Amino acid sequence: MALVTAGRRFVQVTLREFSRRSTAAASWGAWRTAERCFSAGTPPLRSDNKVTVNFINRDGEKITVKASPGDSLLDVVINEDLDFDGFGACEGTLACSTCHLIFDEDVYKKLGPVTDEEMDMLDLAYGLTETSRLGCQICLTKSLDGMVARVPESVADIRQSKDGSA
């Protein structure tokens, strides 16, 4: 009887420890995903710690917004409710090229390396240039303050029919 009781306690403790470790691992994974733009040791953001981003939309209109360092350019477009047709169709999962943006060369050099996955998606983008990137992969830093991002004239959005209607 004592052996059965000891066995039950061992199983309960083991399951509790497994649950605690699984929860911690899941929390860590979610944190890493949500914080993909931050490096370790990034100080907490303050409201005065904003980055100015200038978008040039398809009509040539300049739209200036302020955003927090660490936000992706896709986050900025969504959070500021900017009306760029078809922009960000895959919601940042790197499964489309609808958040394709074009940068001036000096800004492009500050954006960091392009991954193979991003290059694969850029190959599908209309109006691809040497300084094209996907907005979902560009995370704002203070060094990008005042940057200009151009929205290409057209977008490769599978959700649109051949005549351009949704």
PDB file of all heavy atoms in Angstrom, residues 36-37 51-55 65 67-68 70-80 82 84 87 99 101-103 107 111 133-140 144 147-150:
ATOM      1  N   ARG A  36      10.105  39.678 -31.498  1.00  0.00           N
ATOM      2  CA  ARG A  36      11.126  39.358 -32.488  1.00  0.00           C
ATOM      3  C   ARG A  36      11.957  40.562 -32.904  1.00  0.00           C
ATOM      4  O   ARG A  36      13.054  40.429 -33.389  1.00  0.00           O
ATOM      5  CB  ARG A  36      10.494  38.723 -33.718  1.00  0.00           C
ATOM      6  CG  ARG A  36       9.702  39.689 -34.579  1.00  0.00           C
ATOM      7  CD  ARG A  36       9.119  38.981 -35.783  1.00  0.00           C
ATOM      8  NE  ARG A  36       8.445  39.914 -36.638  1.00  0.00           N
ATOM      9  CZ  ARG A  36       7.210  40.328 -36.488  1.00  0.00           C
ATOM     10  NH1 ARG A  36       6.491  39.869 -35.494  1.00  0.00           N
ATOM     11  NH2 ARG A  36       6.667  41.188 -37.307  1.00  0.00           N
ATOM     12  N   CYS A  37      11.427  41.736 -32.699  1.00  0.00           N
ATOM     13  CA  CYS A  37      12.121  42.940 -33.128  1.00  0.00           C
ATOM     14  C   CYS A  37      13.031  43.511 -32.065  1.00  0.00           C
ATOM     15  O   CYS A  37      13.794  44.427 -32.350  1.00  0.00           O
ATOM     16  CB  CYS A  37      11.106  44.002 -33.544  1.00  0.00           C
ATOM     17  SG  CYS A  37      10.142  43.502 -34.966  1.00  0.00           S
ATOM     18  N   VAL A  51       9.324  56.839 -33.418  1.00  0.00           N
ATOM     19  CA  VAL A  51      10.035  56.924 -34.680  1.00  0.00           C
ATOM     20  C   VAL A  51       9.057  57.461 -35.719  1.00  0.00           C
ATOM     21  O   VAL A  51       7.926  56.974 -35.812  1.00  0.00           O
ATOM     22  CB  VAL A  51      10.551  55.528 -35.113  1.00  0.00           C
ATOM     23  CG1 VAL A  51      11.222  55.589 -36.471  1.00  0.00           C
ATOM     24  CG2 VAL A  51      11.497  54.963 -34.072  1.00  0.00           C
ATOM     25  N   THR A  52       9.484  58.461 -36.493  1.00  0.00           N
ATOM     26  CA  THR A  52       8.649  59.008 -37.557  1.00  0.00           C
ATOM     27  C   THR A  52       8.863  58.184 -38.814  1.00  0.00           C
ATOM     28  O   THR A  52      10.000  57.932 -39.221  1.00  0.00           O
ATOM     29  CB  THR A  52       9.003  60.481 -37.836  1.00  0.00           C
ATOM     30  OG1 THR A  52       8.805  61.226 -36.628  1.00  0.00           O
ATOM     31  CG2 THR A  52       8.142  61.060 -38.938  1.00  0.00           C
ATOM     32  N   VAL A  53       7.756  57.745 -39.421  1.00  0.00           N
ATOM     33  CA  VAL A  53       7.801  56.976 -40.658  1.00  0.00           C
ATOM     34  C   VAL A  53       6.963  57.715 -41.694  1.00  0.00           C
ATOM     35  O   VAL A  53       5.821  58.102 -41.415  1.00  0.00           O
ATOM     36  CB  VAL A  53       7.237  55.548 -40.461  1.00  0.00           C
ATOM     37  CG1 VAL A  53       7.287  54.766 -41.764  1.00  0.00           C
ATOM     38  CG2 VAL A  53       7.990  54.815 -39.369  1.00  0.00           C
ATOM     39  N   ASN A  54       7.536  57.906 -42.869  1.00  0.00           N
ATOM     40  CA  ASN A  54       6.837  58.547 -43.973  1.00  0.00           C
ATOM     41  C   ASN A  54       6.534  57.496 -45.037  1.00  0.00           C
ATOM     42  O   ASN A  54       7.456  56.896 -45.591  1.00  0.00           O
ATOM     43  CB  ASN A  54       7.698  59.653 -44.587  1.00  0.00           C
ATOM     44  CG  ASN A  54       8.060  60.704 -43.572  1.00  0.00           C
ATOM     45  OD1 ASN A  54       7.211  61.447 -43.118  1.00  0.00           O
ATOM     46  ND2 ASN A  54       9.328  60.754 -43.195  1.00  0.00           N
ATOM     47  N   PHE A  55       5.256  57.267 -45.292  1.00  0.00           N
ATOM     48  CA  PHE A  55       4.847  56.361 -46.350  1.00  0.00           C
ATOM     49  C   PHE A  55       4.449  57.186 -47.564  1.00  0.00           C
ATOM     50  O   PHE A  55       3.811  58.234 -47.418  1.00  0.00           O
ATOM     51  CB  PHE A  55       3.642  55.518 -45.922  1.00  0.00           C
ATOM     52  CG  PHE A  55       3.950  54.486 -44.880  1.00  0.00           C
ATOM     53  CD1 PHE A  55       3.708  54.743 -43.538  1.00  0.00           C
ATOM     54  CD2 PHE A  55       4.464  53.248 -45.237  1.00  0.00           C
ATOM     55  CE1 PHE A  55       3.975  53.790 -42.573  1.00  0.00           C
ATOM     56  CE2 PHE A  55       4.741  52.288 -44.277  1.00  0.00           C
ATOM     57  CZ  PHE A  55       4.490  52.561 -42.939  1.00  0.00           C
ATOM     58  N   VAL A  65       3.489  59.140 -39.988  1.00  0.00           N
ATOM     59  CA  VAL A  65       2.982  58.591 -38.724  1.00  0.00           C
ATOM     60  C   VAL A  65       4.134  58.443 -37.751  1.00  0.00           C
ATOM     61  O   VAL A  65       5.299  58.446 -38.139  1.00  0.00           O
ATOM     62  CB  VAL A  65       2.286  57.225 -38.935  1.00  0.00           C
ATOM     63  CG1 VAL A  65       1.053  57.355 -39.810  1.00  0.00           C
ATOM     64  CG2 VAL A  65       3.231  56.204 -39.513  1.00  0.00           C
ATOM     65  N   ALA A  67       5.530  55.876 -34.640  1.00  0.00           N
ATOM     66  CA  ALA A  67       5.366  54.514 -34.146  1.00  0.00           C
ATOM     67  C   ALA A  67       6.462  54.203 -33.137  1.00  0.00           C
ATOM     68  O   ALA A  67       7.459  54.916 -33.034  1.00  0.00           O
ATOM     69  CB  ALA A  67       5.417  53.531 -35.312  1.00  0.00           C
ATOM     70  N   SER A  68       6.275  53.123 -32.437  1.00  0.00           N
ATOM     71  CA  SER A  68       7.223  52.705 -31.403  1.00  0.00           C
ATOM     72  C   SER A  68       8.348  51.863 -31.986  1.00  0.00           C
ATOM     73  O   SER A  68       8.109  51.022 -32.855  1.00  0.00           O
ATOM     74  CB  SER A  68       6.506  51.877 -30.339  1.00  0.00           C
ATOM     75  OG  SER A  68       5.523  52.641 -29.705  1.00  0.00           O
ATOM     76  N   GLY A  70      10.587  48.823 -32.410  1.00  0.00           N
ATOM     77  CA  GLY A  70      10.211  47.430 -32.198  1.00  0.00           C
ATOM     78  C   GLY A  70       9.003  47.020 -33.005  1.00  0.00           C
ATOM     79  O   GLY A  70       8.818  45.845 -33.291  1.00  0.00           O
ATOM     80  N   ASP A  71       8.159  47.980 -33.403  1.00  0.00           N
ATOM     81  CA  ASP A  71       7.013  47.664 -34.259  1.00  0.00           C
ATOM     82  C   ASP A  71       7.523  47.346 -35.657  1.00  0.00           C
ATOM     83  O   ASP A  71       8.457  47.976 -36.148  1.00  0.00           O
ATOM     84  CB  ASP A  71       6.047  48.848 -34.364  1.00  0.00           C
ATOM     85  CG  ASP A  71       5.225  49.065 -33.114  1.00  0.00           C
ATOM     86  OD1 ASP A  71       5.234  48.193 -32.226  1.00  0.00           O
ATOM     87  OD2 ASP A  71       4.567  50.122 -33.029  1.00  0.00           O
ATOM     88  N   SER A  72       6.877  46.401 -36.320  1.00  0.00           N
ATOM     89  CA  SER A  72       7.193  46.165 -37.731  1.00  0.00           C
ATOM     90  C   SER A  72       6.442  47.201 -38.554  1.00  0.00           C
ATOM     91  O   SER A  72       5.460  47.804 -38.077  1.00  0.00           O
ATOM     92  CB  SER A  72       6.794  44.752 -38.152  1.00  0.00           C
ATOM     93  OG  SER A  72       5.382  44.655 -38.281  1.00  0.00           O
ATOM     94  N   LEU A  73       6.860  47.409 -39.779  1.00  0.00           N
ATOM     95  CA  LEU A  73       6.145  48.358 -40.634  1.00  0.00           C
ATOM     96  C   LEU A  73       4.735  47.873 -40.926  1.00  0.00           C
ATOM     97  O   LEU A  73       3.821  48.685 -41.082  1.00  0.00           O
ATOM     98  CB  LEU A  73       6.926  48.618 -41.916  1.00  0.00           C
ATOM     99  CG  LEU A  73       8.194  49.437 -41.720  1.00  0.00           C
ATOM    100  CD1 LEU A  73       8.956  49.588 -43.030  1.00  0.00           C
ATOM    101  CD2 LEU A  73       7.879  50.806 -41.130  1.00  0.00           C
ATOM    102  N   LEU A  74       4.532  46.565 -40.958  1.00  0.00           N
ATOM    103  CA  LEU A  74       3.168  46.040 -41.097  1.00  0.00           C
ATOM    104  C   LEU A  74       2.335  46.423 -39.880  1.00  0.00           C
ATOM    105  O   LEU A  74       1.180  46.849 -40.018  1.00  0.00           O
ATOM    106  CB  LEU A  74       3.190  44.518 -41.280  1.00  0.00           C
ATOM    107  CG  LEU A  74       1.827  43.840 -41.339  1.00  0.00           C
ATOM    108  CD1 LEU A  74       0.987  44.366 -42.498  1.00  0.00           C
ATOM    109  CD2 LEU A  74       1.993  42.334 -41.441  1.00  0.00           C
ATOM    110  N   ASP A  75       2.899  46.299 -38.688  1.00  0.00           N
ATOM    111  CA  ASP A  75       2.202  46.718 -37.464  1.00  0.00           C
ATOM    112  C   ASP A  75       1.803  48.184 -37.548  1.00  0.00           C
ATOM    113  O   ASP A  75       0.701  48.554 -37.156  1.00  0.00           O
ATOM    114  CB  ASP A  75       3.088  46.528 -36.224  1.00  0.00           C
ATOM    115  CG  ASP A  75       3.398  45.084 -35.906  1.00  0.00           C
ATOM    116  OD1 ASP A  75       2.617  44.198 -36.314  1.00  0.00           O
ATOM    117  OD2 ASP A  75       4.442  44.834 -35.255  1.00  0.00           O
ATOM    118  N   VAL A  76       2.697  49.014 -38.059  1.00  0.00           N
ATOM    119  CA  VAL A  76       2.428  50.448 -38.160  1.00  0.00           C
ATOM    120  C   VAL A  76       1.235  50.695 -39.076  1.00  0.00           C
ATOM    121  O   VAL A  76       0.324  51.456 -38.740  1.00  0.00           O
ATOM    122  CB  VAL A  76       3.678  51.211 -38.661  1.00  0.00           C
ATOM    123  CG1 VAL A  76       3.353  52.683 -38.902  1.00  0.00           C
ATOM    124  CG2 VAL A  76       4.823  51.064 -37.672  1.00  0.00           C
ATOM    125  N   VAL A  77       1.228  50.051 -40.241  1.00  0.00           N
ATOM    126  CA  VAL A  77       0.124  50.231 -41.190  1.00  0.00           C
ATOM    127  C   VAL A  77      -1.198  49.802 -40.554  1.00  0.00           C
ATOM    128  O   VAL A  77      -2.209  50.503 -40.663  1.00  0.00           O
ATOM    129  CB  VAL A  77       0.385  49.451 -42.499  1.00  0.00           C
ATOM    130  CG1 VAL A  77      -0.845  49.426 -43.391  1.00  0.00           C
ATOM    131  CG2 VAL A  77       1.572  50.065 -43.242  1.00  0.00           C
ATOM    132  N   ILE A  78      -1.184  48.692 -39.842  1.00  0.00           N
ATOM    133  CA  ILE A  78      -2.407  48.193 -39.195  1.00  0.00           C
ATOM    134  C   ILE A  78      -2.811  49.097 -38.042  1.00  0.00           C
ATOM    135  O   ILE A  78      -3.968  49.513 -37.950  1.00  0.00           O
ATOM    136  CB  ILE A  78      -2.207  46.744 -38.720  1.00  0.00           C
ATOM    137  CG1 ILE A  78      -2.086  45.812 -39.927  1.00  0.00           C
ATOM    138  CG2 ILE A  78      -3.356  46.307 -37.797  1.00  0.00           C
ATOM    139  CD1 ILE A  78      -1.616  44.419 -39.593  1.00  0.00           C
ATOM    140  N   ASN A  79      -1.880  49.423 -37.158  1.00  0.00           N
ATOM    141  CA  ASN A  79      -2.194  50.235 -35.976  1.00  0.00           C
ATOM    142  C   ASN A  79      -2.659  51.641 -36.334  1.00  0.00           C
ATOM    143  O   ASN A  79      -3.491  52.213 -35.632  1.00  0.00           O
ATOM    144  CB  ASN A  79      -0.987  50.321 -35.042  1.00  0.00           C
ATOM    145  CG  ASN A  79      -0.634  48.982 -34.430  1.00  0.00           C
ATOM    146  OD1 ASN A  79      -1.435  48.056 -34.418  1.00  0.00           O
ATOM    147  ND2 ASN A  79       0.583  48.872 -33.939  1.00  0.00           N
ATOM    148  N   GLU A  80      -2.128  52.202 -37.407  1.00  0.00           N
ATOM    149  CA  GLU A  80      -2.503  53.552 -37.828  1.00  0.00           C
ATOM    150  C   GLU A  80      -3.672  53.534 -38.809  1.00  0.00           C
ATOM    151  O   GLU A  80      -4.091  54.574 -39.297  1.00  0.00           O
ATOM    152  CB  GLU A  80      -1.299  54.265 -38.455  1.00  0.00           C
ATOM    153  CG  GLU A  80      -0.163  54.501 -37.484  1.00  0.00           C
ATOM    154  CD  GLU A  80      -0.541  55.443 -36.354  1.00  0.00           C
ATOM    155  OE1 GLU A  80      -1.291  56.411 -36.601  1.00  0.00           O
ATOM    156  OE2 GLU A  80      -0.089  55.209 -35.210  1.00  0.00           O
ATOM    157  N   LEU A  82      -3.900  52.618 -41.920  1.00  0.00           N
ATOM    158  CA  LEU A  82      -3.581  53.187 -43.220  1.00  0.00           C
ATOM    159  C   LEU A  82      -4.241  52.349 -44.310  1.00  0.00           C
ATOM    160  O   LEU A  82      -4.225  51.119 -44.259  1.00  0.00           O
ATOM    161  CB  LEU A  82      -2.066  53.237 -43.420  1.00  0.00           C
ATOM    162  CG  LEU A  82      -1.290  54.033 -42.368  1.00  0.00           C
ATOM    163  CD1 LEU A  82       0.202  54.011 -42.676  1.00  0.00           C
ATOM    164  CD2 LEU A  82      -1.799  55.462 -42.270  1.00  0.00           C
ATOM    165  N   PHE A  84      -3.942  50.985 -47.462  1.00  0.00           N
ATOM    166  CA  PHE A  84      -3.162  50.510 -48.590  1.00  0.00           C
ATOM    167  C   PHE A  84      -3.813  49.209 -49.038  1.00  0.00           C
ATOM    168  O   PHE A  84      -3.663  48.175 -48.376  1.00  0.00           O
ATOM    169  CB  PHE A  84      -1.700  50.267 -48.214  1.00  0.00           C
ATOM    170  CG  PHE A  84      -0.975  51.463 -47.646  1.00  0.00           C
ATOM    171  CD1 PHE A  84       0.026  51.294 -46.720  1.00  0.00           C
ATOM    172  CD2 PHE A  84      -1.288  52.753 -48.052  1.00  0.00           C
ATOM    173  CE1 PHE A  84       0.722  52.381 -46.203  1.00  0.00           C
ATOM    174  CE2 PHE A  84      -0.607  53.847 -47.538  1.00  0.00           C
ATOM    175  CZ  PHE A  84       0.401  53.667 -46.609  1.00  0.00           C
ATOM    176  N   PHE A  87      -2.684  45.332 -48.508  1.00  0.00           N
ATOM    177  CA  PHE A  87      -1.437  45.319 -47.746  1.00  0.00           C
ATOM    178  C   PHE A  87      -1.537  44.367 -46.554  1.00  0.00           C
ATOM    179  O   PHE A  87      -2.473  44.438 -45.772  1.00  0.00           O
ATOM    180  CB  PHE A  87      -1.124  46.743 -47.245  1.00  0.00           C
ATOM    181  CG  PHE A  87       0.291  46.950 -46.814  1.00  0.00           C
ATOM    182  CD1 PHE A  87       1.246  47.372 -47.724  1.00  0.00           C
ATOM    183  CD2 PHE A  87       0.674  46.733 -45.509  1.00  0.00           C
ATOM    184  CE1 PHE A  87       2.567  47.586 -47.336  1.00  0.00           C
ATOM    185  CE2 PHE A  87       1.988  46.940 -45.114  1.00  0.00           C
ATOM    186  CZ  PHE A  87       2.932  47.366 -46.025  1.00  0.00           C
ATOM    187  N   CYS A  99       2.928  43.116 -48.387  1.00  0.00           N
ATOM    188  CA  CYS A  99       3.476  44.232 -47.597  1.00  0.00           C
ATOM    189  C   CYS A  99       4.796  44.723 -48.189  1.00  0.00           C
ATOM    190  O   CYS A  99       5.593  45.357 -47.515  1.00  0.00           O
ATOM    191  CB  CYS A  99       3.620  43.855 -46.128  1.00  0.00           C
ATOM    192  SG  CYS A  99       4.793  42.529 -45.816  1.00  0.00           S
ATOM    193  N   LEU A 101       7.465  46.886 -49.759  1.00  0.00           N
ATOM    194  CA  LEU A 101       7.765  48.316 -49.704  1.00  0.00           C
ATOM    195  C   LEU A 101       9.100  48.573 -50.392  1.00  0.00           C
ATOM    196  O   LEU A 101       9.964  47.694 -50.449  1.00  0.00           O
ATOM    197  CB  LEU A 101       7.846  48.797 -48.250  1.00  0.00           C
ATOM    198  CG  LEU A 101       6.545  48.745 -47.457  1.00  0.00           C
ATOM    199  CD1 LEU A 101       6.820  48.956 -45.973  1.00  0.00           C
ATOM    200  CD2 LEU A 101       5.561  49.770 -47.984  1.00  0.00           C
ATOM    201  N   ILE A 102       9.263  49.787 -50.898  1.00  0.00           N
ATOM    202  CA  ILE A 102      10.496  50.178 -51.587  1.00  0.00           C
ATOM    203  C   ILE A 102      11.145  51.313 -50.794  1.00  0.00           C
ATOM    204  O   ILE A 102      10.461  52.257 -50.387  1.00  0.00           O
ATOM    205  CB  ILE A 102      10.195  50.615 -53.030  1.00  0.00           C
ATOM    206  CG1 ILE A 102       9.520  49.458 -53.786  1.00  0.00           C
ATOM    207  CG2 ILE A 102      11.470  51.061 -53.735  1.00  0.00           C
ATOM    208  CD1 ILE A 102       8.930  49.848 -55.125  1.00  0.00           C
ATOM    209  N   PHE A 103      12.448  51.214 -50.585  1.00  0.00           N
ATOM    210  CA  PHE A 103      13.184  52.168 -49.761  1.00  0.00           C
ATOM    211  C   PHE A 103      14.266  52.861 -50.572  1.00  0.00           C
ATOM    212  O   PHE A 103      14.756  52.321 -51.565  1.00  0.00           O
ATOM    213  CB  PHE A 103      13.832  51.438 -48.577  1.00  0.00           C
ATOM    214  CG  PHE A 103      12.835  50.758 -47.698  1.00  0.00           C
ATOM    215  CD1 PHE A 103      12.478  49.440 -47.922  1.00  0.00           C
ATOM    216  CD2 PHE A 103      12.230  51.436 -46.658  1.00  0.00           C
ATOM    217  CE1 PHE A 103      11.532  48.810 -47.125  1.00  0.00           C
ATOM    218  CE2 PHE A 103      11.284  50.821 -45.855  1.00  0.00           C
ATOM    219  CZ  PHE A 103      10.933  49.500 -46.089  1.00  0.00           C
ATOM    220  N   VAL A 107      18.437  54.175 -46.628  1.00  0.00           N
ATOM    221  CA  VAL A 107      17.579  53.528 -45.619  1.00  0.00           C
ATOM    222  C   VAL A 107      17.698  52.009 -45.743  1.00  0.00           C
ATOM    223  O   VAL A 107      17.822  51.302 -44.743  1.00  0.00           O
ATOM    224  CB  VAL A 107      16.106  53.975 -45.776  1.00  0.00           C
ATOM    225  CG1 VAL A 107      15.187  53.171 -44.862  1.00  0.00           C
ATOM    226  CG2 VAL A 107      15.969  55.462 -45.511  1.00  0.00           C
ATOM    227  N   LEU A 111      18.468  48.490 -42.815  1.00  0.00           N
ATOM    228  CA  LEU A 111      17.370  47.593 -42.472  1.00  0.00           C
ATOM    229  C   LEU A 111      17.794  46.226 -41.969  1.00  0.00           C
ATOM    230  O   LEU A 111      16.979  45.480 -41.461  1.00  0.00           O
ATOM    231  CB  LEU A 111      16.432  47.413 -43.680  1.00  0.00           C
ATOM    232  CG  LEU A 111      15.765  48.686 -44.174  1.00  0.00           C
ATOM    233  CD1 LEU A 111      14.883  48.374 -45.378  1.00  0.00           C
ATOM    234  CD2 LEU A 111      14.959  49.353 -43.070  1.00  0.00           C
ATOM    235  N   ARG A 133      11.795  45.438 -49.768  1.00  0.00           N
ATOM    236  CA  ARG A 133      11.726  44.580 -48.583  1.00  0.00           C
ATOM    237  C   ARG A 133      10.266  44.372 -48.239  1.00  0.00           C
ATOM    238  O   ARG A 133       9.388  45.090 -48.706  1.00  0.00           O
ATOM    239  CB  ARG A 133      12.431  45.234 -47.379  1.00  0.00           C
ATOM    240  CG  ARG A 133      13.937  45.343 -47.463  1.00  0.00           C
ATOM    241  CD  ARG A 133      14.688  44.026 -47.374  1.00  0.00           C
ATOM    242  NE  ARG A 133      14.432  43.280 -46.164  1.00  0.00           N
ATOM    243  CZ  ARG A 133      15.141  43.358 -45.050  1.00  0.00           C
ATOM    244  NH1 ARG A 133      16.167  44.175 -44.981  1.00  0.00           N
ATOM    245  NH2 ARG A 133      14.837  42.627 -44.007  1.00  0.00           N
ATOM    246  N   LEU A 134      10.006  43.397 -47.371  1.00  0.00           N
ATOM    247  CA  LEU A 134       8.655  43.157 -46.873  1.00  0.00           C
ATOM    248  C   LEU A 134       8.484  43.893 -45.555  1.00  0.00           C
ATOM    249  O   LEU A 134       9.309  43.761 -44.639  1.00  0.00           O
ATOM    250  CB  LEU A 134       8.398  41.662 -46.685  1.00  0.00           C
ATOM    251  CG  LEU A 134       8.455  40.819 -47.955  1.00  0.00           C
ATOM    252  CD1 LEU A 134       8.183  39.354 -47.626  1.00  0.00           C
ATOM    253  CD2 LEU A 134       7.473  41.329 -48.998  1.00  0.00           C
ATOM    254  N   GLY A 135       7.409  44.660 -45.445  1.00  0.00           N
ATOM    255  CA  GLY A 135       7.156  45.459 -44.254  1.00  0.00           C
ATOM    256  C   GLY A 135       7.022  44.637 -42.987  1.00  0.00           C
ATOM    257  O   GLY A 135       7.350  45.114 -41.902  1.00  0.00           O
ATOM    258  N   CYS A 136       6.569  43.393 -43.116  1.00  0.00           N
ATOM    259  CA  CYS A 136       6.420  42.548 -41.929  1.00  0.00           C
ATOM    260  C   CYS A 136       7.767  42.142 -41.350  1.00  0.00           C
ATOM    261  O   CYS A 136       7.845  41.703 -40.201  1.00  0.00           O
ATOM    262  CB  CYS A 136       5.576  41.311 -42.240  1.00  0.00           C
ATOM    263  SG  CYS A 136       6.331  40.146 -43.399  1.00  0.00           S
ATOM    264  N   GLN A 137       8.833  42.308 -42.113  1.00  0.00           N
ATOM    265  CA  GLN A 137      10.171  41.896 -41.674  1.00  0.00           C
ATOM    266  C   GLN A 137      11.052  43.067 -41.245  1.00  0.00           C
ATOM    267  O   GLN A 137      12.179  42.870 -40.823  1.00  0.00           O
ATOM    268  CB  GLN A 137      10.867  41.121 -42.794  1.00  0.00           C
ATOM    269  CG  GLN A 137      10.131  39.862 -43.198  1.00  0.00           C
ATOM    270  CD  GLN A 137       9.989  38.894 -42.050  1.00  0.00           C
ATOM    271  OE1 GLN A 137      10.977  38.419 -41.512  1.00  0.00           O
ATOM    272  NE2 GLN A 137       8.761  38.603 -41.652  1.00  0.00           N
ATOM    273  N   ILE A 138      10.517  44.280 -41.355  1.00  0.00           N
ATOM    274  CA  ILE A 138      11.283  45.469 -40.994  1.00  0.00           C
ATOM    275  C   ILE A 138      10.809  45.975 -39.643  1.00  0.00           C
ATOM    276  O   ILE A 138       9.666  46.399 -39.485  1.00  0.00           O
ATOM    277  CB  ILE A 138      11.110  46.597 -42.043  1.00  0.00           C
ATOM    278  CG1 ILE A 138      11.467  46.105 -43.438  1.00  0.00           C
ATOM    279  CG2 ILE A 138      11.910  47.834 -41.639  1.00  0.00           C
ATOM    280  CD1 ILE A 138      12.865  45.577 -43.586  1.00  0.00           C
ATOM    281  N   CYS A 139      11.677  45.936 -38.662  1.00  0.00           N
ATOM    282  CA  CYS A 139      11.357  46.411 -37.319  1.00  0.00           C
ATOM    283  C   CYS A 139      11.994  47.777 -37.107  1.00  0.00           C
ATOM    284  O   CYS A 139      13.155  47.985 -37.432  1.00  0.00           O
ATOM    285  CB  CYS A 139      11.860  45.417 -36.270  1.00  0.00           C
ATOM    286  SG  CYS A 139      11.013  43.839 -36.372  1.00  0.00           S
ATOM    287  N   LEU A 140      11.194  48.685 -36.586  1.00  0.00           N
ATOM    288  CA  LEU A 140      11.658  50.058 -36.401  1.00  0.00           C
ATOM    289  C   LEU A 140      12.706  50.171 -35.300  1.00  0.00           C
ATOM    290  O   LEU A 140      12.605  49.507 -34.273  1.00  0.00           O
ATOM    291  CB  LEU A 140      10.480  50.964 -36.055  1.00  0.00           C
ATOM    292  CG  LEU A 140       9.468  51.167 -37.170  1.00  0.00           C
ATOM    293  CD1 LEU A 140       8.304  52.014 -36.673  1.00  0.00           C
ATOM    294  CD2 LEU A 140      10.124  51.816 -38.378  1.00  0.00           C
ATOM    295  N   LEU A 144      16.115  54.603 -37.785  1.00  0.00           N
ATOM    296  CA  LEU A 144      15.253  54.720 -38.967  1.00  0.00           C
ATOM    297  C   LEU A 144      14.307  55.915 -38.886  1.00  0.00           C
ATOM    298  O   LEU A 144      13.463  56.099 -39.762  1.00  0.00           O
ATOM    299  CB  LEU A 144      14.436  53.425 -39.144  1.00  0.00           C
ATOM    300  CG  LEU A 144      15.253  52.169 -39.425  1.00  0.00           C
ATOM    301  CD1 LEU A 144      14.352  50.943 -39.434  1.00  0.00           C
ATOM    302  CD2 LEU A 144      16.017  52.304 -40.733  1.00  0.00           C
ATOM    303  N   MET A 147      12.469  57.889 -41.909  1.00  0.00           N
ATOM    304  CA  MET A 147      12.571  57.071 -43.114  1.00  0.00           C
ATOM    305  C   MET A 147      11.382  57.266 -44.037  1.00  0.00           C
ATOM    306  O   MET A 147      10.297  57.664 -43.615  1.00  0.00           O
ATOM    307  CB  MET A 147      12.687  55.600 -42.744  1.00  0.00           C
ATOM    308  CG  MET A 147      11.392  55.019 -42.180  1.00  0.00           C
ATOM    309  SD  MET A 147      11.509  53.293 -41.704  1.00  0.00           S
ATOM    310  CE  MET A 147      11.626  52.535 -43.269  1.00  0.00           C
ATOM    311  N   VAL A 148      11.592  56.952 -45.320  1.00  0.00           N
ATOM    312  CA  VAL A 148      10.533  56.974 -46.320  1.00  0.00           C
ATOM    313  C   VAL A 148      10.378  55.560 -46.863  1.00  0.00           C
ATOM    314  O   VAL A 148      11.356  54.915 -47.236  1.00  0.00           O
ATOM    315  CB  VAL A 148      10.870  57.941 -47.476  1.00  0.00           C
ATOM    316  CG1 VAL A 148       9.822  57.862 -48.573  1.00  0.00           C
ATOM    317  CG2 VAL A 148      11.015  59.362 -46.955  1.00  0.00           C
ATOM    318  N   ALA A 149       9.135  55.081 -46.873  1.00  0.00           N
ATOM    319  CA  ALA A 149       8.807  53.768 -47.431  1.00  0.00           C
ATOM    320  C   ALA A 149       7.756  53.969 -48.513  1.00  0.00           C
ATOM    321  O   ALA A 149       6.696  54.540 -48.253  1.00  0.00           O
ATOM    322  CB  ALA A 149       8.279  52.839 -46.343  1.00  0.00           C
ATOM    323  N   ARG A 150       8.052  53.529 -49.721  1.00  0.00           N
ATOM    324  CA  ARG A 150       7.127  53.686 -50.838  1.00  0.00           C
ATOM    325  C   ARG A 150       6.322  52.407 -51.037  1.00  0.00           C
ATOM    326  O   ARG A 150       6.880  51.319 -51.077  1.00  0.00           O
ATOM    327  CB  ARG A 150       7.876  53.995 -52.128  1.00  0.00           C
ATOM    328  CG  ARG A 150       8.650  55.284 -52.076  1.00  0.00           C
ATOM    329  CD  ARG A 150       9.368  55.586 -53.392  1.00  0.00           C
ATOM    330  NE  ARG A 150      10.405  56.569 -53.267  1.00  0.00           N
ATOM    331  CZ  ARG A 150      10.260  57.816 -52.880  1.00  0.00           C
ATOM    332  NH1 ARG A 150       9.086  58.247 -52.551  1.00  0.00           N
ATOM    333  NH2 ARG A 150      11.273  58.645 -52.803  1.00  0.00           N
TER     334      ARG A 150
END
